[in-house]
Amino acid sequence: MGVNSNRVEHFDNREATTLRIQTQTPLEIHAVQLPPQRTTLHKLRHRVSEIFFPDDPLHRFKNQTSFRKFILALQYLFPIFQWAPNYNLTLLRSDLISGLTIASLAIPQGISYAKLANLPPIIGLYSSFVPPLIYSLLGSSKHLGVGPVSIASLVMGSMLSEKVSYSQDPSLYLGLAFTATFFAGVFQASLGILRLGFVIDFLSKATLVGFTGGAAIIVSLQQLKGLLGIVHFTSKMQIVPVMVSVFKQRHEWSWQTILLGFGFLAFLMTTRHISLRKPKLFWVSAAAPLTSVIMSTILVFLLRDKTHQISIIGHLPKGVNPPSSNMLYFSGPYLALAIKTGIITGILSLTEGIAVGRTFASLKNYQVDGNKEMMAIGLMNVAGSCSSCYVTTGSFSRSAVNYNAGAQTTVSNIIMAAAVLVTLLFLMPLFYYTPNVVLAAIIITAVIGLLDYQSAYKLWKVDKLDFLACLCSFFGVLFISVPLGLAIAVVISVIKILLHVTRPNTLVLGNIQGTQIFHNINQYKEASRVPSFLILAVESPIYFANSTYLQERILRWVREEEEHIKANDGAALKCMILDMTAVTAIDTSGLETLSELKKTLEKRSLQLVLANPVGNVAEKLHKSKVLESFGLKGVYLTVGEAVTDISSIWKAQP
């Protein structure tokens, strides 16, 4: 397999110019080496480790005493033990301010998002109390603000409402919501425990941009019910039925509700604009939802004799979360619906939570363990399902406020939960006259930021296929349904992966004059073809899925090169060099393809040469005996050495 490492060749200036390779000193030809031998068990262990343990989570336990290992395991499972011993009053002051700040946002958002899921408003407050406490013990993000989120709330509400109506059977609907939350938590925690976080990577950035944008529009349009004061409104989530219902029920529009709603919507949008323009004034938009709730409640209370058409929240029960484990369904005709809803909302909430956590961790230069986050989010949802909570995760709006308010640890979540607890125990009667129209305005303001048109435009500029995936996901949510829109997003992501795997790039390489550098001739204009050589690079592993395509595409390159030579009266093609630098893996189908390709080219009097096969590829070529057919002059370490050595052999021949 090797090449004589002592072979040294000199070229005069004319020959170097002809080949476009001008070398100042003799070029040494290096042998291609095989990687060190390893047993099959060792290879399997290494491969499994790379798949499931890329971060090597057990490295901290090496060379430690038993007691120290116990402490490290405790800190790994409960990150609070890492920072709690060094906690001080300075950190508490920062966390206290940020916790109270996000509580002012969490209370109105919790009430609003629960209504988005077709749940009683009190469930949203319950969901802002227990899950943040669980996360503060298990989570690794310092800035993640935990609670209900708009997308997961919308998906849960739309999926459950297709089969069960809360107004007709509230007990069944609540039970299914809690059951879906339980299965969402089990699914999320399982991904973390089994280290299968790569599953959520099938939701690409492009598809998520389209999905969240479409969901944001659907969420906003659904709020027209509250914003216009409509009583009889469609439960469907597609844009056409929603808009038909809006105009069909024009006789139910209430000018009092419209005036109040658009007034507070303008107030909320103004505060949001101020905070976006001046980040130091983040507290303006953070306090705006609670301020709107307080002001609108006082206004409706004072004018209660004249505002009968304005719908209000009404009675909310006082007290902490009641247990709900007895409401979970593990059998019956609706179990499949609960499981499906739980998995879909679990994927969405997990994707959002981890993305938000990593975003703010990068700003403060610390790491968030994805698998630990999955376990933390999953376990808090399992606990929440047993304490009258529905699906929760890290909210971008709460986390942004938490970060800007100066949060230092997850104690800010504990402070927020404490504020929610005080609200649940003592302040619930104050929400009696809170108008639903203000909650609709709060939701619209919160989800409007999900319309990321700048990212969509960037997708169009950078990758048209990604932009197509974004559009399909967007319109799928708008015109079909939210769950099917998500399914479309996943299918498009998988199709994109298959396209890259089955149709990899192949490039013609040329030499940059005066160097031993070979690059794509279409990308580098100074790179030119080497006479009598066709140099190709494959930018993909060679698998059963693409081996046939690669063979056909390479033969097409040969035909096109011969036509190019004929059209330009160039030197006859004698050799094809296959640069395998980017071929990171090869299977038996790929090995067979190389053998067949070599035989086909030999029938056309063309030599096939391999350049730089990487470790495991070289090993498989050796074990399969494929290299024996290539001989000593069939494999080289670099393209430059291959061109130099083969050209010298041709020169030496009479």
Side-chain angles (χ1 to χ4, degrees):
M1 180 197 71
V3 178
N4 187 355
S5 60
N6 296 320
R7 180 183 294 275
V8 179
E9 297 294 343
H10 296 267
F11 293 96
D12 59 30
N13 290 335
R14 286 178 300 172
E15 290 169 337
T17 301
T18 303
L19 294 174
R20 303 287 185 177
I21 306 173
Q22 297 177 350
T23 54
Q24 301 297 325
T25 57
L27 179 67
E28 183 179 359
I29 307 301
H30 299 83
V32 174
Q33 303 290 334
L34 290 175
Q37 287 190 350
R38 297 181 299 173
T39 64
T40 302
L41 181 61
H42 185 274
K43 292 178 183 177
L44 179 62
R45 187 189 310 149
H46 175 74
R47 188 60 179 163
V48 171
S49 175
E50 288 300 307
I51 292 174
F52 296 103
F53 305 98
D55 54 342
D56 190 16
L58 300 179
H59 75 281
R60 69 186 70 193
F61 297 97
K62 295 177 181 177
N63 304 319
Q64 300 289 341
T65 64
S66 298
F67 177 74
R68 182 60 181 165
K69 287 180 179 178
F70 172 76
I71 297 298
L72 290 173
L74 195 65
Q75 291 178 342
Y76 180 81
L77 294 174
F78 301 96
I80 190 172
F81 288 110
Q82 293 180 10
W83 51 264
N86 300 318
Y87 200 73
N88 54 45
L89 289 176
T90 302
L91 296 176
L92 177 60
R93 182 178 61 183
S94 299
D95 288 336
L96 182 64
I97 294 172
S98 57
L100 292 175
T101 304
I102 57 173
S104 68
L105 180 65
I107 293 170
Q109 273 193 352
I111 296 173
S112 303
Y113 291 158
K115 292 182 71 64
L116 192 60
N118 297 321
L119 292 167
I122 191 66
I123 301 297
L125 290 180
Y126 291 158
S127 303
S128 299
F129 172 51
V130 171
L133 293 177
I134 303 296
Y135 182 83
S136 65
L137 298 175
L138 303 174
S140 59
S141 172
K142 301 175 184 178
H143 301 98
L144 201 68
V146 174
V149 292
S150 58
I151 300 300
S153 301
L154 171 71
V155 172
M156 175 172 284
S158 62
M159 292 186 70
L160 295 182
S161 296
E162 288 180 359
K163 303 290 185 180
V164 181
S165 171
Y166 176 78
S167 58
Q168 295 178 2
D169 197 340
S171 178
L172 175 60
Y173 191 93
L174 276 176
L176 291 178
F178 298 147
T179 305
T181 301
F182 174 83
F183 283 110
V186 169
F187 175 73
Q188 293 166 333
S190 298
L191 289 182
I193 294 170
L194 300 176
R195 305 185 72 81
L196 298 174
F198 57 83
V199 170
I200 65 174
D201 292 337
F202 282 97
L203 284 175
S204 67
K205 171 68 174 177
T207 55
L208 282 176
V209 168
F211 175 81
T212 54
I217 291 178
I218 290 296
V219 169
S220 300
L221 292 177
Q222 275 285 329
Q223 301 319 301
L224 291 176
K225 173 185 177 181
L227 209 59
L228 301 175
I230 299 174
V231 177
H232 302 91
F233 198 72
T234 181
S235 60
K236 296 181 179 179
M237 292 292 173
Q238 299 83 12
I239 186 171
V240 175
V242 169
M243 295 308 299
V244 168
S245 182
V246 167
F247 290 101
K248 190 176 181 180
Q249 306 296 337
R250 286 194 305 271
H251 60 281
E252 294 185 359
W253 292 11
S254 167
W255 69 267
Q256 296 171 325
T257 303
I258 294 172
L259 183 63
L260 186 67
F262 279 94
F264 278 101
L265 181 61
F267 168 73
L268 290 166
M269 294 297 290
T270 301
T271 58
R272 181 177 182 274
H273 179 72
I274 291 172
S275 295
L276 288 175
R277 293 291 298 272
K278 297 182 178 181
K280 290 184 178 180
L281 297 178
F282 70 92
W283 55 269
V284 174
S285 62
L290 186 59
T291 303
S292 299
V293 168
I294 294 172
M295 291 173 59
S296 63
T297 302
I298 293 173
L299 185 62
V300 171
F301 173 74
L302 294 176
L303 301 175
R304 59 188 180 278
D305 294 331
K306 301 178 181 179
T307 56
H308 298 295
Q309 290 183 312
I310 298 179
S311 173
I312 59 175
I313 290 180
H315 174 71
L316 294 176
K318 293 199 309 183
V320 295
N321 302 37
S324 56
S325 56
N326 61 323
M327 300 180 67
L328 301 181
Y329 287 89
F330 296 108
S331 61
Y334 296 106
L335 179 60
L337 173 65
I339 294 175
K340 183 172 70 171
T341 304
I343 291 176
I344 292 178
T345 55
I347 291 174
L348 287 174
S349 58
L350 198 59
T351 303
E352 180 174 353
I354 292 178
V356 171
R358 286 175 174 169
T359 297
F360 290 103
S362 65
L363 296 177
K364 285 293 185 179
N365 197 29
Y366 70 92
Q367 285 189 326
V368 168
D369 188 324
N371 289 294
K372 286 168 66 176
E373 287 296 284
M374 292 178 198
M375 288 188 283
I377 294 174
L379 291 175
M380 80 179 184
N381 277 318
V382 171
S385 69
C386 299
S387 54
S388 300
C389 304
Y390 77 106
V391 174
T392 54
T393 187
S395 163
F396 185 83
S397 57
R398 295 190 199 192
S399 301
V401 170
N402 201 27
Y403 174 84
N404 288 322
Q408 299 296 318
T409 68
T410 55
V411 170
S412 59
N413 274 298
I414 298 176
I415 301 298
M416 179 193 71
V420 173
L421 174 62
V422 171
T423 303
L424 287 169
L425 291 176
F426 306 108
L427 305 181
M428 298 314 296
L430 300 180
F431 291 98
Y432 185 90
Y433 285 100
T434 301
N436 287 314
V437 64
V438 168
L439 302 181
I442 291 172
I443 291 175
I444 292 174
T445 307
V447 302
I448 202 73
L450 297 176
L451 286 168
D452 194 356
Y453 61 89
Q454 292 179 333
S455 292
Y457 179 71
K458 186 177 181 181
L459 291 173
W460 165 256
K461 296 288 289 184
V462 175
D463 192 322
K464 299 297 189 293
L465 187 58
D466 270 351
F467 181 74
L468 177 62
C470 175
L471 281 186
C472 291
S473 178
F474 177 78
F475 288 114
V477 172
L478 281 184
F479 292 98
I480 304 176
S481 72
V482 175
L484 285 178
L486 179 62
I488 290 171
V490 174
V491 168
I492 291 172
S493 298
V494 172
I495 290 174
K496 184 181 177 183
I497 293 172
L498 292 176
L499 282 175
H500 285 299
V501 170
T502 60
R503 296 295 183 267
N505 278 341
T506 53
L507 309 171
V508 176
L509 305 183
N511 175 247
I512 297 179
Q513 188 174 359
T515 72
Q516 285 289 325
I517 299 173
F518 291 80
H519 267 301
N520 182 4
I521 59 174
N522 291 325
Q523 182 179 358
Y524 294 87
K525 300 304 179 185
E526 62 271 31
S528 57
R529 287 176 165 86
V530 180
S532 300
F533 287 90
L534 171 61
I535 307 171
L536 295 178
V538 178
E539 296 185 330
S540 164
I542 303 178
Y543 287 126
F544 66 93
N546 61 25
S547 57
T548 302
Y549 164 78
L550 284 174
Q551 183 176 3
E552 293 174 351
R553 189 66 184 90
I554 289 171
L555 292 175
R556 176 183 161 191
W557 277 121
V558 173
R559 185 183 74 248
E560 291 175 350
E561 184 68 14
E562 290 175 339
E563 291 173 354
H564 178 270
I565 290 171
K566 185 177 180 180
N568 293 276
D569 296 324
L573 183 63
K574 298 180 181 180
C575 178
M576 193 196 85
I577 300 175
L578 193 62
D579 185 359
M580 303 184 70
T581 303
V583 180
T584 55
I586 192 169
D587 67 357
T588 53
S589 297
L591 294 170
E592 184 67 25
T593 295
L594 287 181
S595 296
E596 292 180 4
L597 184 63
K598 185 177 187 302
K599 293 176 184 177
T600 302
L601 293 178
E602 285 177 347
K603 291 179 181 178
R604 302 172 68 164
S605 300
L606 295 176
Q607 180 183 2
L608 175 62
V609 173
L610 307 180
N612 194 29
V614 296
N616 65 326
V617 175
E619 184 180 17
K620 288 186 177 181
L621 287 169
H622 173 69
K623 288 186 175 181
S624 65
K625 308 298 183 183
V626 171
L627 287 183
E628 292 182 2
S629 64
F630 280 84
L632 293 177
K633 301 302 178 183
V635 183
Y636 290 84
L637 190 60
T638 68
V639 172
E641 291 183 8
V643 172
T644 300
D645 195 43
I646 294 171
S647 298
S648 67
I649 294 173
W650 292 347
K651 178 185 175 183
Q653 292 175 350

